[in-house]
Amino acid sequence: MSNTGDSVIVRFVTEDDKEGWQGLWRSFQDFYSVSFPNELDEFNFKRFLDPNVKMWAAVAVDSTSGKIIGMINFLSHMTTWDFKDKVYINDLYVDESSRVKGVGRELIQFVYEEADKLDTPNVYWCTDESNHRAQLLYTKIGYKAPKSLYKRNGY
Amino acid sequence: MSNTGDSVIVRFVTEDDKEGWQGLWRSFQDFYSVSFPNELDEFNFKRFLDPNVKMWAAVAVDSTSGKIIGMINFLSHMTTWDFKDKVYINDLYVDESSRVKGVGRELIQFVYEEADKLDTPNVYWCTDESNHRAQLLYTKIGYKAPKSLYKRNGY
Amino acid sequence: MSNTGDSVIVRFVTEDDKEGWQGLWRSFQDFYSVSFPNELDEFNFKRFLDPNVKMWAAVAVDSTSGKIIGMINFLSHMTTWDFKDKVYINDLYVDESSRVKGVGRELIQFVYEEADKLDTPNVYWCTDESNHRAQLLYTKIGYKAPKSLYKRNGY
Amino acid sequence: MSNTGDSVIVRFVTEDDKEGWQGLWRSFQDFYSVSFPNELDEFNFKRFLDPNVKMWAAVAVDSTSGKIIGMINFLSHMTTWDFKDKVYINDLYVDESSRVKGVGRELIQFVYEEADKLDTPNVYWCTDESNHRAQLLYTKIGYKAPKSLYKRNGY
């Protein structure tokens, strides 16, 4: 559990956070102009809570209002380059009204700490080339790898 | 099993391919100016051959000489964006003397076909921004996603 | 002459602005980790003021304090793609303490208006890929062209 | 005048090259999916031949057939960063059937030499991010600057 300033707490999701998480998950989809079926929410949440599945979610909670204002979903997977897994931050979202307060940074910092505890400290993520607001943060807590990402046609 | 022209066969690695695969794995490391311990070769090969581990390797074999001239290592991992896994091409390497003959394309095509069989058809990979030779191929069989890749400092 | 909010005026430089412009020109060099000889200041300023030279500079002036808080240097040059010249914004700098107040936008807007008056409305500029703060603005008043810039080795 | 292997000569255009140059200029436009009026051909050619205009064109001529197989158009313009002009390679095109023979390299080399003679050795150019074939050459005779190019909306 980590603390941003005096009023935000970052912690793993629990069963009770589902609704709050879903609200941000919807906003996140809007931001990326994608739309997932509701069943995927259920499936993801089950994976987050299952101790046997290496997929997790953390939320940032405003400790005054109790409101969930940020979420970060991450998972770990193998790599041929190491004995250890790598941790991939799949999604990060902070409520529009809570931006520029260090919440995004705290969420990533939470992942770093969990990755360290898991002894898989190698963490990476992707963002839209044109998302400069996000990258103002990312260049402070990480670095841009000089890589191009390719996808199979149609996917 | 797929066939490039009349002389190259692409197939999953078997126990007997270890030495040939290692030769390309070394050249691949040289190309990227990295160096992995030999124990990682063993660990990877064990994962490739273990039917319970979702990491695989295929090789391109010159059917005349029997020589292994190309390798592709891939794995599958979860994503919060889908019920299905995504397939990640971790490494692709074709022997320098066998370039520009469609071997790289056949190796990726092999992964596409296996991904389809696994019902996880979503395939992606990364390459150095400055590797234009590789991208001459990649733009034909895939597309560049407008994403920037970030890594945790120190990794 | 254009006005940001009620207190900033953007206008072409005059002989009297030399010192103020030089202060920002120094800060600009610091930002880009370059260092030009003082003689270049003189040479540039002469070009800005010479009606026969298609190089100009405008400054943003805080109308309360009279202080110069921003500068933009631009020039026009031929292109084989058009009968008309293109306008290149060579340098843009806003005093650190005056950021996020729309001064940068007003300076570029001034160039757009002058470019229109000159009947050479095609305006372009470059920025560091990693300068996300600047690009937060640039994506609002322009668009990123999918181009790579190459330079002769040694320059 | 420079020589690629034994059969290609690179030289400035003369009045007689107009038709050959125009053929490549058309192909160049097709490649970039643009279309300029014929009057622009005339205007450009006039500028190339006018000793008072800092815009030039060179062609690569197959010395056996006498055919023009490549063209390069360049110009020089001011910069606030230097007393000297910079040379901008506006267009480069090599006939499709003459690719991969070093003609592109010879054309750029010609510009480098002329830029040196003019005492304005700083040369730069742009290319499409996705033009990997061109960049296979450009990374050998130049380097990619880590810059993003922005244009005014509508241009």
Side-chain angles (χ1 to χ4, degrees):
Chain A
M1 216 173 284
S2 68
N3 211 307
T4 71
D6 42 12
S7 64
V8 174
I9 288 165
V10 176
R11 56 164 176 74
F12 279 116
V13 290
T14 67
E15 190 70 60
D16 296 340
D17 298 320
K18 200 162 155 184
E19 212 179 317
W21 178 87
Q22 276 180 316
L24 295 178
W25 181 237
R26 295 267 172 285
S27 302
F28 174 80
Q29 291 173 53
D30 289 347
F31 181 79
Y32 277 102
S33 302
V34 291
S35 177
F36 303 130
N38 288 347
E39 291 74 23
L40 187 58
D41 298 24
E42 303 292 331
F43 185 59
N44 280 335
F45 224 81
K46 224 173 257 173
R47 293 194 283 192
F48 298 152
L49 299 177
D50 186 336
N52 295 315
V53 176
K54 293 179 174 181
M55 182 186 273
W56 308 273
V59 284
V61 184
D62 183 307
S63 58
T64 310
S65 68
K67 214 190 141 204
I68 290 179
I69 57 172
M71 70 157 201
I72 193 161
N73 308 325
F74 55 112
L75 55 94
S76 117
H77 68 75
M78 293 179 290
T79 167
T80 61
W81 286 44
D82 202 349
F83 298 94
K84 297 176 180 179
D85 278 13
K86 292 169 73 174
V87 171
Y88 172 59
I89 299 175
N90 207 139
D91 318 299
L92 170 63
Y93 193 77
V94 175
D95 188 63
E96 189 67 32
S97 61
S98 307
R99 298 275 172 86
V100 201
K101 284 182 193 158
V103 179
R105 179 195 283 259
E106 285 302 307
L107 286 161
I108 293 174
Q109 195 59 41
F110 182 88
V111 173
Y112 284 177
E113 286 163 20
E114 292 305 316
D116 286 342
K117 286 181 198 163
L118 291 163
D119 194 27
T120 54
N122 193 328
V123 180
Y124 77 100
W125 64 95
C126 291
T127 196
D128 282 354
E129 279 176 358
S130 59
N131 190 344
H132 298 292
R133 188 158 62 161
Q135 291 176 82
L136 278 175
L137 167 61
Y138 297 163
T139 50
K140 284 174 195 150
I141 55 167
Y143 67 98
K144 187 182 176 302
K147 297 283 179 182
S148 292
L149 176 68
Y150 280 85
K151 296 186 179 183
R152 182 181 186 175
N153 285 329
Y155 293 91
Chain B
M1 217 173 283
S2 68
N3 210 308
T4 71
D6 41 12
S7 64
V8 174
I9 288 165
V10 175
R11 57 166 177 71
F12 280 116
V13 290
T14 67
E15 188 70 60
D16 295 342
D17 298 320
K18 200 161 154 184
E19 212 178 318
W21 177 86
Q22 276 180 316
L24 294 177
W25 181 237
R26 295 266 173 283
S27 301
F28 174 80
Q29 291 174 55
D30 289 346
F31 181 79
Y32 277 101
S33 302
V34 290
S35 177
F36 303 130
N38 288 348
E39 291 75 24
L40 187 58
D41 298 23
E42 302 292 332
F43 186 59
N44 280 335
F45 224 80
K46 224 173 256 172
R47 294 194 282 191
F48 299 152
L49 298 177
D50 186 336
N52 295 314
V53 176
K54 294 179 174 180
M55 181 186 274
W56 308 273
V59 284
V61 183
D62 183 308
S63 58
T64 310
S65 68
K67 214 189 141 204
I68 290 179
I69 58 173
M71 72 157 200
I72 193 162
N73 308 325
F74 55 112
L75 54 95
S76 115
H77 68 75
M78 293 179 290
T79 166
T80 62
W81 285 44
D82 202 350
F83 298 94
K84 297 177 180 179
D85 278 12
K86 292 170 73 174
V87 171
Y88 172 58
I89 299 175
N90 208 138
D91 318 298
L92 169 63
Y93 193 77
V94 175
D95 187 62
E96 188 68 32
S97 61
S98 308
R99 298 276 173 85
V100 200
K101 285 183 192 156
V103 178
R105 179 195 283 259
E106 285 302 309
L107 286 161
I108 293 174
Q109 196 59 42
F110 181 88
V111 172
Y112 283 177
E113 287 164 19
E114 292 305 315
D116 286 341
K117 288 181 198 164
L118 291 163
D119 194 28
T120 55
N122 194 326
V123 180
Y124 76 101
W125 64 95
C126 290
T127 197
D128 282 354
E129 280 176 358
S130 58
N131 189 345
H132 298 292
R133 188 157 64 160
Q135 290 176 83
L136 278 175
L137 168 61
Y138 298 162
T139 50
K140 285 174 194 150
I141 56 167
Y143 67 96
K144 188 182 176 301
K147 297 283 180 183
S148 291
L149 175 69
Y150 279 85
K151 297 187 179 182
R152 182 181 186 175
N153 285 329
Y155 294 92
Chain C
M1 217 173 283
S2 68
N3 210 306
T4 72
D6 40 13
S7 64
V8 174
I9 288 166
V10 175
R11 55 165 177 72
F12 280 114
V13 289
T14 67
E15 188 71 59
D16 295 341
D17 298 319
K18 200 161 156 186
E19 211 178 320
W21 177 87
Q22 276 180 316
L24 294 178
W25 181 238
R26 295 266 172 284
S27 302
F28 174 81
Q29 291 174 54
D30 289 346
F31 182 79
Y32 277 101
S33 302
V34 289
S35 177
F36 303 130
N38 288 348
E39 291 74 24
L40 187 59
D41 299 22
E42 303 292 332
F43 186 59
N44 280 334
F45 224 79
K46 224 173 256 174
R47 294 193 282 190
F48 299 151
L49 299 177
D50 186 337
N52 295 315
V53 176
K54 295 179 174 182
M55 182 186 274
W56 308 274
V59 284
V61 183
D62 183 309
S63 59
T64 311
S65 68
K67 214 190 140 206
I68 289 180
I69 58 173
M71 71 157 202
I72 194 161
N73 308 325
F74 54 112
L75 55 94
S76 117
H77 68 75
M78 292 180 290
T79 166
T80 61
W81 286 44
D82 202 350
F83 297 94
K84 296 176 181 182
D85 278 11
K86 293 169 74 174
V87 170
Y88 173 59
I89 300 175
N90 207 139
D91 318 298
L92 170 63
Y93 195 77
V94 175
D95 187 62
E96 189 68 32
S97 62
S98 307
R99 298 275 173 85
V100 201
K101 283 184 193 156
V103 179
R105 179 195 283 260
E106 285 303 307
L107 286 162
I108 293 175
Q109 196 59 42
F110 182 88
V111 173
Y112 284 178
E113 287 162 19
E114 292 305 316
D116 286 342
K117 287 182 200 164
L118 291 164
D119 194 28
T120 54
N122 194 328
V123 180
Y124 77 100
W125 64 95
C126 291
T127 195
D128 282 354
E129 280 177 358
S130 59
N131 189 346
H132 298 292
R133 189 158 63 160
Q135 290 176 82
L136 279 175
L137 167 61
Y138 298 162
T139 52
K140 285 173 195 148
I141 54 166
Y143 67 97
K144 187 183 175 302
K147 296 283 179 183
S148 291
L149 175 69
Y150 279 85
K151 296 186 180 182
R152 183 181 187 175
N153 285 329
Y155 293 92
Chain D
M1 216 173 284
S2 68
N3 211 306
T4 72
D6 39 14
S7 64
V8 174
I9 287 166
V10 175
R11 56 165 177 73
F12 279 115
V13 290
T14 67
E15 189 71 59
D16 295 341
D17 298 320
K18 201 163 157 184
E19 211 179 318
W21 177 87
Q22 275 180 315
L24 294 177
W25 181 238
R26 296 265 173 284
S27 302
F28 174 81
Q29 291 174 54
D30 290 346
F31 182 80
Y32 276 102
S33 302
V34 290
S35 177
F36 302 130
N38 288 348
E39 291 74 24
L40 189 57
D41 298 25
E42 303 292 332
F43 185 59
N44 280 335
F45 224 80
K46 224 173 258 176
R47 293 193 284 191
F48 299 153
L49 298 177
D50 186 336
N52 295 315
V53 176
K54 294 180 174 181
M55 181 186 274
W56 308 273
V59 284
V61 184
D62 182 310
S63 58
T64 309
S65 68
K67 214 189 140 206
I68 289 179
I69 58 173
M71 71 157 199
I72 193 161
N73 309 325
F74 54 112
L75 56 93
S76 117
H77 68 75
M78 292 179 289
T79 166
T80 61
W81 286 45
D82 202 351
F83 297 94
K84 297 177 180 180
D85 278 11
K86 292 170 73 174
V87 171
Y88 173 58
I89 299 175
N90 208 137
D91 318 298
L92 170 63
Y93 194 76
V94 176
D95 187 62
E96 189 68 32
S97 62
S98 308
R99 299 274 173 86
V100 201
K101 283 184 193 157
V103 178
R105 180 195 282 260
E106 285 303 308
L107 285 161
I108 293 175
Q109 196 59 43
F110 181 88
V111 173
Y112 283 177
E113 286 163 20
E114 292 305 316
D116 286 342
K117 285 181 201 165
L118 291 163
D119 195 27
T120 55
N122 194 329
V123 180
Y124 77 100
W125 63 96
C126 291
T127 196
D128 282 355
E129 279 177 358
S130 59
N131 189 345
H132 298 292
R133 190 158 61 160
Q135 290 176 82
L136 278 176
L137 168 60
Y138 298 162
T139 51
K140 285 173 195 149
I141 54 166
Y143 67 97
K144 187 183 176 300
K147 296 284 180 183
S148 292
L149 175 68
Y150 279 84
K151 296 186 180 183
R152 183 181 186 175
N153 285 329
Y155 293 91

